[in-house]
Amino acid sequence: MNSMNQLSSSRRPMGVSIVSLIVALNAILVLFAAATWIFGIGLFGFNVPGNVRGFAIWYGLFAALFGIILGYLSWGLWSLQRWSLYTIVFIEVLNIVEILAAWAQGFLSLIPFILSLILPIVILTYFLADRQVRQAFNV
């Protein structure tokens, strides 16, 4: 098993490792936020109205589920699972569409629009155009 881990880490491009670590950090932050919603507002928010507390618990549970999915995606990238490549590409395309829709509706001015597009475009281009990434994921 250890030789398998060494083999995949020697084949894993540095950019994939970086994106995997960013996704893992995001998963940790989402899980922390979920715990805050569930426990801080939902269960122990005694001065908060009951309907808001109920909403906070449900919001926290959905956020916790999303954080677990992000953690699984991070593991998939780290271990070079092909489904994780397709998932990241899909998520980045959705991010770009979301940013374009926000700009078209006037929620973003030009500079935030351009700055918001940089990271999704870089990640998408890297995962689709880099030969080492395609070889690492056997695509």
Side-chain angles (χ1 to χ4, degrees), residues 37-38 40-59:
W37 276 98
I38 293 170
I41 297 171
L43 296 177
F44 300 117
F46 300 118
N47 295 328
V48 179
N51 59 345
V52 174
R53 290 174 65 191
F55 171 77
I57 291 172
W58 280 107
Y59 186 80

Short mmCIF file of all heavy atoms in Angstrom, two decimals, residues 37-38 40-59:
data_model
loop_
_atom_site.label_atom_id
_atom_site.label_comp_id
_atom_site.label_asym_id
_atom_site.label_seq_id
_atom_site.Cartn_x
_atom_site.Cartn_y
_atom_site.Cartn_z
N TRP A 37 -23.16 27.22 12.35
CA TRP A 37 -24.59 27.36 12.09
C TRP A 37 -25.40 26.42 12.97
O TRP A 37 -26.41 26.81 13.55
CB TRP A 37 -24.90 27.08 10.62
CG TRP A 37 -24.70 28.26 9.74
CD1 TRP A 37 -23.61 28.53 8.99
CD2 TRP A 37 -25.60 29.34 9.54
NE1 TRP A 37 -23.77 29.71 8.34
CE2 TRP A 37 -25.00 30.23 8.65
CE3 TRP A 37 -26.87 29.63 10.03
CZ2 TRP A 37 -25.62 31.40 8.23
CZ3 TRP A 37 -27.49 30.80 9.61
CH2 TRP A 37 -26.86 31.67 8.72
N ILE A 38 -24.96 25.17 13.04
CA ILE A 38 -25.74 24.17 13.80
C ILE A 38 -25.70 24.47 15.29
O ILE A 38 -26.74 24.54 15.95
CB ILE A 38 -25.22 22.75 13.51
CG1 ILE A 38 -25.50 22.37 12.06
CG2 ILE A 38 -25.86 21.74 14.46
CD1 ILE A 38 -24.83 21.09 11.61
N GLY A 40 -23.80 27.11 17.08
CA GLY A 40 -23.77 28.49 17.55
C GLY A 40 -25.09 29.20 17.43
O GLY A 40 -25.51 29.92 18.34
N ILE A 41 -25.78 29.00 16.33
CA ILE A 41 -27.05 29.70 16.12
C ILE A 41 -28.23 28.77 16.36
O ILE A 41 -29.19 29.12 17.03
CB ILE A 41 -27.10 30.29 14.70
CG1 ILE A 41 -25.99 31.32 14.52
CG2 ILE A 41 -28.46 30.91 14.41
CD1 ILE A 41 -25.81 31.81 13.11
N GLY A 42 -28.14 27.56 15.82
CA GLY A 42 -29.28 26.65 15.89
C GLY A 42 -29.59 26.12 17.26
O GLY A 42 -30.71 26.26 17.76
N LEU A 43 -28.61 25.51 17.89
CA LEU A 43 -28.88 24.87 19.18
C LEU A 43 -28.68 25.79 20.37
O LEU A 43 -29.39 25.69 21.37
CB LEU A 43 -28.01 23.62 19.33
CG LEU A 43 -28.28 22.51 18.31
CD1 LEU A 43 -27.30 21.36 18.52
CD2 LEU A 43 -29.71 22.02 18.39
N PHE A 44 -27.69 26.67 20.30
CA PHE A 44 -27.37 27.49 21.46
C PHE A 44 -27.65 28.98 21.23
O PHE A 44 -27.22 29.80 22.02
CB PHE A 44 -25.90 27.30 21.85
CG PHE A 44 -25.59 25.88 22.20
CD1 PHE A 44 -24.69 25.16 21.45
CD2 PHE A 44 -26.21 25.27 23.28
CE1 PHE A 44 -24.41 23.84 21.77
CE2 PHE A 44 -25.93 23.95 23.60
CZ PHE A 44 -25.02 23.23 22.84
N GLY A 45 -28.37 29.32 20.20
CA GLY A 45 -28.74 30.71 19.96
C GLY A 45 -30.03 31.04 20.68
O GLY A 45 -31.08 31.23 20.07
N PHE A 46 -29.95 31.13 21.99
CA PHE A 46 -31.15 31.27 22.81
C PHE A 46 -31.89 32.59 22.58
O PHE A 46 -33.08 32.67 22.79
CB PHE A 46 -30.79 31.12 24.30
CG PHE A 46 -30.20 29.78 24.60
CD1 PHE A 46 -28.91 29.68 25.10
CD2 PHE A 46 -30.92 28.62 24.38
CE1 PHE A 46 -28.36 28.44 25.37
CE2 PHE A 46 -30.37 27.37 24.65
CZ PHE A 46 -29.09 27.29 25.16
N ASN A 47 -31.20 33.63 22.15
CA ASN A 47 -31.84 34.92 21.92
C ASN A 47 -32.32 35.08 20.48
O ASN A 47 -32.80 36.14 20.11
CB ASN A 47 -30.89 36.06 22.28
CG ASN A 47 -30.56 36.07 23.76
OD1 ASN A 47 -31.39 35.69 24.58
ND2 ASN A 47 -29.38 36.51 24.10
N VAL A 48 -32.16 34.04 19.69
CA VAL A 48 -32.55 34.07 18.28
C VAL A 48 -33.95 33.47 18.17
O VAL A 48 -34.26 32.48 18.83
CB VAL A 48 -31.54 33.27 17.44
CG1 VAL A 48 -31.94 33.25 15.98
CG2 VAL A 48 -30.14 33.83 17.61
N PRO A 49 -34.84 34.07 17.34
CA PRO A 49 -36.19 33.51 17.18
C PRO A 49 -36.15 32.05 16.72
O PRO A 49 -35.22 31.63 16.01
CB PRO A 49 -36.82 34.39 16.11
CG PRO A 49 -36.03 35.66 16.14
CD PRO A 49 -34.66 35.30 16.57
N GLY A 50 -37.16 31.29 17.10
CA GLY A 50 -37.21 29.86 16.83
C GLY A 50 -37.13 29.49 15.37
O GLY A 50 -36.46 28.53 15.00
N ASN A 51 -37.81 30.25 14.49
CA ASN A 51 -37.77 29.91 13.07
C ASN A 51 -36.39 30.14 12.49
O ASN A 51 -35.96 29.41 11.59
CB ASN A 51 -38.84 30.66 12.29
CG ASN A 51 -38.71 32.17 12.40
OD1 ASN A 51 -38.00 32.68 13.27
ND2 ASN A 51 -39.40 32.87 11.54
N VAL A 52 -35.67 31.13 12.98
CA VAL A 52 -34.30 31.38 12.51
C VAL A 52 -33.39 30.25 12.99
O VAL A 52 -32.51 29.80 12.26
CB VAL A 52 -33.80 32.76 12.98
CG1 VAL A 52 -32.34 32.96 12.62
CG2 VAL A 52 -34.67 33.86 12.40
N ARG A 53 -33.59 29.80 14.22
CA ARG A 53 -32.79 28.70 14.76
C ARG A 53 -33.01 27.42 13.95
O ARG A 53 -32.06 26.70 13.65
CB ARG A 53 -33.13 28.47 16.23
CG ARG A 53 -32.64 29.59 17.11
CD ARG A 53 -33.08 29.45 18.53
NE ARG A 53 -32.47 28.25 19.12
CZ ARG A 53 -32.84 27.75 20.28
NH1 ARG A 53 -33.81 28.31 20.97
NH2 ARG A 53 -32.26 26.68 20.76
N GLY A 54 -34.26 27.16 13.59
CA GLY A 54 -34.55 25.99 12.76
C GLY A 54 -33.90 26.08 11.40
O GLY A 54 -33.34 25.11 10.90
N PHE A 55 -33.96 27.27 10.80
CA PHE A 55 -33.30 27.48 9.52
C PHE A 55 -31.80 27.27 9.65
O PHE A 55 -31.16 26.67 8.78
CB PHE A 55 -33.60 28.90 9.00
CG PHE A 55 -32.78 29.28 7.81
CD1 PHE A 55 -33.08 28.79 6.55
CD2 PHE A 55 -31.68 30.12 7.95
CE1 PHE A 55 -32.32 29.14 5.46
CE2 PHE A 55 -30.91 30.47 6.86
CZ PHE A 55 -31.23 29.98 5.61
N ALA A 56 -31.21 27.75 10.73
CA ALA A 56 -29.77 27.64 10.94
C ALA A 56 -29.35 26.17 11.04
O ALA A 56 -28.31 25.78 10.52
CB ALA A 56 -29.35 28.40 12.19
N ILE A 57 -30.16 25.37 11.70
CA ILE A 57 -29.83 23.95 11.82
C ILE A 57 -29.86 23.28 10.45
O ILE A 57 -28.94 22.55 10.07
CB ILE A 57 -30.77 23.25 12.81
CG1 ILE A 57 -30.47 23.75 14.24
CG2 ILE A 57 -30.62 21.73 12.74
CD1 ILE A 57 -31.47 23.28 15.28
N TRP A 58 -30.91 23.54 9.68
CA TRP A 58 -30.99 22.94 8.34
C TRP A 58 -29.88 23.45 7.43
O TRP A 58 -29.28 22.67 6.68
CB TRP A 58 -32.36 23.21 7.70
CG TRP A 58 -33.40 22.29 8.21
CD1 TRP A 58 -34.42 22.58 9.06
CD2 TRP A 58 -33.50 20.89 7.94
NE1 TRP A 58 -35.15 21.46 9.33
CE2 TRP A 58 -34.61 20.40 8.65
CE3 TRP A 58 -32.76 20.00 7.17
CZ2 TRP A 58 -35.00 19.07 8.60
CZ3 TRP A 58 -33.15 18.67 7.13
CH2 TRP A 58 -34.25 18.22 7.84
N TYR A 59 -29.61 24.74 7.49
CA TYR A 59 -28.53 25.30 6.68
C TYR A 59 -27.19 24.67 7.07
O TYR A 59 -26.38 24.32 6.21
CB TYR A 59 -28.49 26.82 6.87
CG TYR A 59 -27.51 27.51 5.97
CD1 TYR A 59 -27.83 27.78 4.65
CD2 TYR A 59 -26.26 27.89 6.43
CE1 TYR A 59 -26.92 28.40 3.81
CE2 TYR A 59 -25.34 28.52 5.61
CZ TYR A 59 -25.69 28.77 4.30
OH TYR A 59 -24.78 29.38 3.47
#
